[in-house]
Amino acid sequence: MDRVTTPGGVRAKARVLAHGDGRGGTVLPVLEGEGPLAVRRTRGSGAEARVMLVGTMSGPLGGDRFTVAAEADRGARLRVGSAAATLALPGQDKAGARYDVELAVGDDSELHWLPEQLISAHGSDLHVTTRVDLARNARFLLREEQVLGRSGEEPGRLTSRLTVRIAGRCVLDQELACGPGAPGGWDGPAGLAGHRAVGQLVVVRPEFAAGPPAARALTEGVAVMPLAGPAVLVTAVAPDALLLRRLLEEASDALG
């Protein structure tokens, strides 16, 4: 579809719906994208379908609003990634941009949400919300990585909120605000402590209900925290995106 531009910026949506095909595979009855949000199916593996988000334009810019929704149901196995990092940029519209992500997983279904990094460029103002709704026996993996500024650049303003519900019960609701205009202390010892890359994993598995991982520090800058449900949160900070990805991959391996 064509770019949808309004006086307040670009409005664009993408949607992915995955169902089990009843034969051990996964089908994608809905695969839609518009404007700067293109959606492509890539080669899957076994029962898993794989989808790639492809940014066809710069952004989000000031005033833009992007929405991405992905749902795995009826025994589906779905992995969603992105072809490149998302770069938040300033625009002619001085209003902030929004990027909303809505994820849902049904019983006996699985979703891996693994986009590339989000980079907050100097002068940008982006508010990201990620809402996750999981059935009781869903399996889920989310990776978020946020980089404050490009090389040698001061960051823009970035606000990110993540909410996770399992069987209707909220197990995680957190918000991180960084950059100019954010509440004081975001870069201090109790916040990012001078680091410019921050990320997290959310891992949900039914077996965690009986034996959740213990709260612990895996290594410097990486902490594991069990949530109030069959889920665990891993948080990591690092000086750059490369080290952050390595730390999160090591944490994922440690969780099995």
Side-chain angles (χ1 to χ4, degrees), residues 216-238:
R216 65 193 189 278
L218 283 181
T219 186
E220 183 177 357
V222 183
V224 176
M225 178 63 66
L227 302 176
V232 62
L233 171 68
V234 178
T235 302
V237 293

Side-chain angles (χ1 to χ4, degrees), residues 149-180:
R150 292 167 290 192
S151 178
E153 177 185 64
E154 289 299 310
R157 171 74 180 269
L158 176 62
T159 305
S160 177
R161 184 169 183 177
L162 172 62
T163 305
V164 179
R165 295 181 180 274
I166 301 177
R169 179 188 182 190
C170 184
V171 300
L172 178 65
D173 190 351
Q174 68 174 25
E175 183 172 283
L176 175 67
C178 306

Side-chain angles (χ1 to χ4, degrees), residues 73-117:
D73 202 5
R74 303 182 191 173
R77 302 290 182 266
L78 175 64
R79 177 185 296 257
V80 181
S82 60
T86 297
L87 180 60
L89 294 165
Q92 293 182 348
D93 192 315
K94 300 303 181 183
R98 290 190 61 92
Y99 200 126
D100 297 322
V101 178
E102 301 171 358
L103 307 175
V105 188
D107 273 324
D108 301 317
S109 300
E110 183 170 356
L111 171 61
H112 289 191
W113 180 257
L114 303 169
E116 293 302 309
Q117 297 92 350

